[in-house]
C-alpha cells in the first residue's frame, strides 16, 4: 500500500518504488523510507591526463565541430534539431540520408587487405618445419641421383617427406579458412544497430547505415557508432579508455570550453561506450574519418605476433638443423679423409642429415591441435587459429569479461510480490502465485503505473497498436513495459501523456536505480515520485 509523505519544496508527493532483480525479474513494491528527492551522486573521476600525448594526437585529428555552436553544426550538415525537446527533432530526411550513404559510403572501418587463399596456403607451407621437411626431401633425391642403384628406396622417402610438408600445410590452411568463414557468418548474423531520428521518427538502423548529420539517441549500454556532437544530455558518461586511456567515465554535455577535441565535453567518439545516462547527438564523422578509423589506419600494417608454439617450433627447428648440419659436415670430412670418395661421402653426409629430421612430428602436432579445436567447437568455442589452441594452454592467468550469448535479448516478468501476496504474471502450468484477475488490484496497479511512467523505453512509431511496435531500450525495461501495457486498465499512450515526466535521474551502474517525478495528482499534492532498481539499493 502506498504511503503518503511530504514532498519537495512544500509540494507533497507519493513515492512508489519497484525493486527488481536482474536474475529473475521478480517485482516487489515497497513504500520508500526516504521522502526526500536528492540529486544523483556524481561519480568522481581523475582529471589528470597526459596533456603532451593528447596534444600530439590532437594535431592529427581534423575534428573542429566542438568549437562551433549548435546552429553552426546544424547549418553545416543541413539537419534540423530541437534543442529544447530533442525527441521532437526532425533530423535528416530519408532521401537525404540515402543520398549521403551513397556519397560517403557505409559507416564501417576499411578492413585490412586480406590475403588470397593461395597466399595463405604458401604462408602455411613455408613455415620452418615444413621447409626443413622439403629440404630433406630434396636432399634425398640428390642422393638418389648420385647413386640410383643403391638408393632406390629414396624414391619413396623423398615423396613422404615432401608429402608430409604439403599435407601439414593443407590441414592448417583448411582449419584457419573454416574458422574465418564461421566468424564472418556470426558477425553478419548480429549486425550492430543504433537509434536515429529521421523525419521526426525514432528508428533503429544498422550502424553501417549511419551518415553525417544523423541525430543519434544514445543511452546507457550503447556503443557510440560514430563521432558525434552532443547537443542534449541527461547525466551522460562515456568510457573513453579505448582511445585516451582514461580509467574513469567522462561526462558529456552540451557546451564546451576546451580546444583539444579529446578534452571537449560535447564530443562522443566512435567505439566508446555510454556507461550511464542518455543523450541526443549529431553525427560529424563516420567510417575511416572518425578518430578510431584514423587510429586503425595507423595500426593496419602491424604484423601478427608469433604464438608460443610457433616460437618453440622455430627454436627446435634451428637447433635440429644446426646439429644435423654440423654432424653431416663432420661425417663428410671423415669420409673424405678415410676413403677419398666424394660420392660416398656426400651420400653418407646427406643420409645423416635426413636422419635427424622428425618427419612425423609436424603431422602429429597438427592433428593433435585439430582434435583439440574440434573438442572446443563442440563446446561452442570458435578457434580462429590452430596455434591459438596451444596458446590457451601456455597461459597462467586468463582474465575475461562476460560478453553475453546469442539469445533474443528479451526478458519477461514472471512473478510479482506486493502486499504480502505473490502473483503469477504468466499462465504457465508451473507458475507460483495467484493469477492477476484485474489491473486495479491494490499494489499491482502501482507496479503497472511505475513500469509505464518510470522508464526510458522508446517506441519506433506511434501510429500502430502497442503490441505491434518495436521497443527501443534496455531488455529489462522493455520486459516491464510489455507487462504493463498487457495488464494496464486504460490506454497506455494516454497514461503517459496525462502524467508527464517533470524530473528524472536515469539508471546507471553506480546507483543501480532510476527515479522520476510525474504529474500524478493525489490527496496531498500534484506530483508523484516513482523509483525502481536493484532490491539491495532501493530498500
Amino acid at each position: 500500500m502506498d504511503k503518503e509523505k511530504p514532498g519537495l519544496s512544500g509540494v507533497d508527493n507519493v513515492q512508489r518504488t519497484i525493486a527488481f532483480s536482474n536474475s529473475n525479474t521478480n517485482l516487489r513494491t515497497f513504500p520508500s523510507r526516504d521522502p526526500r528527492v536528492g540529486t544523483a551522486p556524481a561519480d568522481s573521476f581523475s582529471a589528470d591526463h597526459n596533456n603532451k600525448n593528447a596534444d600530439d594526437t590532437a594535431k592529427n585529428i581534423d575534428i573542429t565541430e566542438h568549437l562551433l555552436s549548435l546552429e553552426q553544426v546544424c547549418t553545416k550538415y543541413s539537419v534540423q534539431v530541437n534543442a529544447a525537446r530533442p525527441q521532437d527533432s526532425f533530423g535528416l530526411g530519408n532521401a537525404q540520408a540515402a543520398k549521403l550513404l551513397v556519397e560517403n559510403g557505409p559507416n564501417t572501418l576499411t578492413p585490412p587487405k586480406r590475403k588470397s587463399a593461395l597466399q595463405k596456403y604458401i604462408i602455411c607451407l613455408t613455415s620452418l618445419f615444413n621447409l626443413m621437411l622439403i629440404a630433406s626431401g630434396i636432399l634425398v633425391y640428390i642422393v638418389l641421383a648420385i647413386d640410383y642403384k643403391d638408393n632406390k628406396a629414396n624414391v619413396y622417402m623423398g615423396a613422404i617427406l615432401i608429402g608430409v610438408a604439403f599435407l601439414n600445410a593443407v590441414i592448417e590452411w583448411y582449419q584457419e579458412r573454416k574458422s574465418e568463414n564461421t566468424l564472418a557468418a556470426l558477425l553478419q548474423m548480429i549486425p550492430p544497430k543504433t537509434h536515429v531520428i529521421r523525419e521526426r521518427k525514432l528508428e533503429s538502423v544498422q550502424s553501417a547505415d549511419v551518415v553525417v548529420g544523423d541525430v543519434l539517441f544514445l543511452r546507457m549500454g550503447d556503443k557510440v557508432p560514430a563521432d558525434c556532437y552532443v547537443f542534449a544530455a541527461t547525466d551522460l558518461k562515456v568510457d573513453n579508455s579505448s582511445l585516451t586511456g582514461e580509467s574513469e567515465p567522462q561526462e558529456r554535455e552540451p557546451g564546451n570550453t576546451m580546444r583539444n577535441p579529446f578534452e571537449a565535453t560535447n564530443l562522443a567518439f566512435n567505439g566508446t561506450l555510454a556507461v550511464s545516462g542518455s543523450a541526443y547527438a549529431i553525427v560529424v564523422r563516420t567510417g575511416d574519418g572518425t578518430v578510431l578509423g584514423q587510429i586503425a589506419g595507423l595500426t593496419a600494417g602491424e604484423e601478427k605476433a608469433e604464438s608460443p608454439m610457433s616460437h618453440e617450433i622455430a627454436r627446435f627447428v634451428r637447433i635440429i638443423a644446426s646439429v644435423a648440419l654440423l654432424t653431416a659436415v663432420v661425417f663428410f670430412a671423415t669420409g673424405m679423409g678415410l676413403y677419398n670418395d666424394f660420392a660416398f661421402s656426400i651420400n653418407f653426409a646427406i643420409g645423416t642429415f635426413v636422419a635427424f629430421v622428425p618427419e612425423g612430428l609436424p603431422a602429429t602436432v597438427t592433428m593433435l591441435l585439430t582434435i583439440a579445436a574440434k573438442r572446443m567447437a563442440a563446446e561452442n568455442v570458435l578457434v580462429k587459429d590452430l596455434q591459438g589452441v596451444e596458446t590457451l594452454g601456455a597461459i597462467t592467468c586468463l582474465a575475461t569479461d562476460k560478453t553475453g550469448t546469442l539469445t533474443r535479448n528479451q526478458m519477461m516478468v514472471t512473478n510479482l510480490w506486493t502486499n504480502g501476496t505473490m502473483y503469477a504474471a504468466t499462465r504457465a502450468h508451473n507458475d507460483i502465485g495467484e493469477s492477476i484477475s484485474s489491473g486495479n488490484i491494490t499494489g499491482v496497479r502501482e507496479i503497472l503505473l511505475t513500469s509505464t511512467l518510470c522508464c526510458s523505453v522508446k517506441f519506433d512509431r506511434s501510429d500502430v497498436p502497442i503490441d505491434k511496435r518495436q521497443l527501443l531500450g534496455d531488455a529489462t525495461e522493455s520486459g516491464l513495459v510489455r507487462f504493463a501495457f498487457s495488464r494496464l486498465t486504460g490506454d497506455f499512450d494516454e497514461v503517459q501523456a496525462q502524467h508527464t515526466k517533470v524530473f528524472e535521474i536515469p539508471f546507471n551502474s553506480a546507483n543501480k536505480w532510476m527515479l522520476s517525478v510525474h504529474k500524478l495528482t493525489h490527496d496531498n499534492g500534484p506530483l508523484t515520485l516513482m523509483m525502481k532498481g536493484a532490491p539491495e539499493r532501493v530498500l
Side-chain angles (χ1 to χ4, degrees):
M1 196 73 177
D2 295 330
K3 184 177 181 181
E4 298 177 357
K5 296 197 175 184
L8 289 175
S9 303
V11 180
D12 292 336
N13 65 70
V14 174
Q15 285 189 298
R16 297 193 181 97
T17 65
I18 288 185
F20 63 87
S21 171
N22 214 19
S23 58
N24 54 22
T25 65
N26 292 340
L27 304 183
R28 306 174 70 183
T29 60
F30 302 93
S32 173
R33 299 184 181 181
D34 189 352
R36 297 169 298 175
V37 182
T39 58
D43 294 332
S44 61
F45 59 93
S46 173
D48 296 334
H49 307 300
N50 191 329
N51 293 327
K52 184 178 183 301
N53 291 337
D55 291 340
D56 292 342
T57 307
K59 292 178 181 178
N60 300 321
I61 304 301
D62 62 351
I63 294 180
T64 58
E65 282 78 3
H66 61 292
L67 304 175
L68 305 179
S69 65
L70 176 59
E71 291 75 14
Q72 291 173 319
V73 173
C74 291
T75 302
K76 181 176 181 179
Y77 295 105
S78 303
V79 60
Q80 303 176 37
V81 301
N82 186 337
R85 291 182 58 84
Q87 65 272 21
D88 295 334
S89 299
F90 182 84
L92 294 178
N94 290 324
Q96 183 182 3
K99 180 182 178 182
L100 289 171
L101 183 62
V102 173
E103 292 177 355
N104 301 327
N107 178 35
T108 56
L109 302 182
T110 302
K113 187 177 180 180
R114 299 186 63 179
K115 297 181 177 65
S116 66
L118 179 60
Q119 288 176 315
K120 291 181 179 180
Y121 178 74
I122 292 175
I123 292 174
C124 295
L125 184 62
T126 53
S127 64
L128 281 178
F129 219 128
N130 288 337
L131 289 177
M132 186 176 179
L133 289 174
I134 294 173
S136 301
I138 294 173
L139 290 176
V140 167
Y141 282 118
I142 291 175
V143 172
L144 180 65
I146 294 174
D147 188 354
Y148 180 80
K149 183 178 180 180
D150 295 334
N151 297 287
K152 289 183 179 181
N154 285 11
V155 174
Y156 308 105
M157 180 61 72
I160 291 174
L161 290 171
I162 296 175
V164 166
F166 277 84
L167 179 61
N168 183 49
V170 167
I171 295 174
E172 186 175 351
W173 171 84
Y174 173 76
Q175 180 66 29
E176 182 178 345
R177 186 82 171 175
K178 181 180 177 182
S179 298
E180 286 182 353
N181 293 338
T182 304
L183 183 62
L186 284 175
L187 293 177
Q188 292 177 0
M189 283 176 59
I190 318 175
K193 292 192 174 184
T194 190
H195 302 142
V196 300
I197 297 179
R198 292 178 180 172
E199 297 183 355
R200 290 194 176 90
K201 292 182 180 179
L202 184 64
E203 304 175 0
S204 178
V205 301
Q206 293 188 13
S207 297
D209 295 336
V210 171
V211 298
V212 290
D214 259 331
V215 177
L216 301 180
F217 172 60
L218 303 173
R219 54 187 172 78
M220 184 187 69
D222 284 349
K223 188 176 181 180
V224 182
D227 293 350
C228 52
Y229 176 95
V230 178
F231 68 90
T234 304
D235 193 31
L236 178 68
K237 292 184 179 180
V238 294
D239 180 6
N240 282 349
S241 58
S242 59
L243 289 179
T244 62
E246 294 161 312
S247 59
E248 295 294 332
Q250 304 298 302
E251 292 184 353
R252 289 295 178 264
E253 58 188 4
N256 170 61
T257 58
M258 310 299 293
R259 297 193 62 83
N260 189 328
F262 287 110
E263 298 176 355
T265 56
N266 60 350
L267 287 182
F269 298 106
N270 180 24
T272 59
L273 184 67
V275 296
S276 69
S278 60
Y280 292 86
I282 301 173
V283 175
V284 296
R285 295 291 186 278
T286 60
D288 292 334
T290 62
V291 174
L292 183 64
Q294 297 178 43
I295 293 175
L298 297 175
T299 60
E302 184 179 358
E303 296 184 0
K304 184 179 178 181
E306 284 189 349
S307 67
M309 172 167 279
S310 299
H311 180 74
E312 289 298 324
I313 288 178
R315 178 172 173 270
F316 175 74
V317 169
R318 285 192 291 267
I319 294 175
I320 289 294
S322 300
V323 173
L325 184 62
L326 178 61
T327 305
V329 170
V330 170
F331 276 90
F332 176 77
T334 303
M336 288 296 293
L338 293 177
Y339 304 102
N340 197 25
D341 186 344
F342 178 79
F344 171 78
S345 299
I346 194 65
N347 190 2
F348 191 52
I350 291 176
T352 305
F353 179 86
V354 173
F356 272 91
V357 178
E359 58 270 9
L361 182 59
T364 302
V365 171
T366 302
M367 293 304 297
L368 288 175
L369 293 179
T370 303
I371 292 173
K374 287 185 175 296
R375 288 180 177 177
M376 296 179 72
E379 300 294 333
N380 299 324
V381 177
L382 176 63
V383 178
K384 296 172 61 178
D385 185 359
L386 277 181
Q387 303 290 344
V389 177
E390 187 276 336
T391 304
L392 285 174
I395 63 177
T396 56
C397 177
L398 176 62
T400 184
D401 185 23
K402 180 177 179 291
T403 57
T405 55
L406 297 178
T407 63
R408 296 179 62 190
N409 193 31
Q410 291 186 2
M411 300 182 70
M412 61 181 294
V413 178
T414 57
N415 294 92
L416 294 81
W417 186 88
T418 179
N419 291 335
T421 303
M422 177 71 74
Y423 293 94
T426 58
R427 296 180 179 179
H429 68 279
N430 58 347
D431 279 345
I432 301 175
E434 300 180 10
S435 61
I436 302 175
S437 58
S438 169
N440 291 321
I441 299 175
T442 303
V444 173
R445 176 167 177 78
E446 282 66 27
I447 291 179
L448 297 176
L449 282 175
T450 305
S451 300
T452 302
L453 302 176
C454 184
C455 73
S456 57
V457 171
K458 308 290 183 182
F459 294 105
D460 62 335
R461 54 193 304 182
S462 57
D463 56 345
V464 296
I466 293 181
D467 56 350
K468 295 183 179 180
R469 301 179 192 175
Q470 181 182 358
L471 275 66
L472 308 176
D474 177 74
T476 302
E477 280 198 324
S478 298
L480 292 172
V481 170
R482 287 192 194 94
F483 170 72
F485 71 65
S486 66
R487 297 285 185 174
L488 191 65
T489 301
D491 185 83
F492 185 88
D493 291 330
E494 289 183 2
V495 172
Q496 289 190 327
Q498 291 174 359
H499 309 301
T500 56
K501 188 183 300 181
V502 297
F503 178 74
E504 177 186 22
I505 299 178
F507 182 91
N508 61 64
S509 57
N511 294 336
K512 296 184 179 179
W513 49 258
M514 176 182 179
L515 180 148
S516 61
V517 178
H518 298 265
K519 293 181 179 179
L520 180 57
T521 304
H522 53 91
D523 294 340
N524 296 324
L527 299 178
T528 301
L529 184 149
M530 297 182 176
M531 184 178 183
K532 67 180 180 184
E536 65 273 14
R537 295 299 181 92
V538 173
L539 302 180

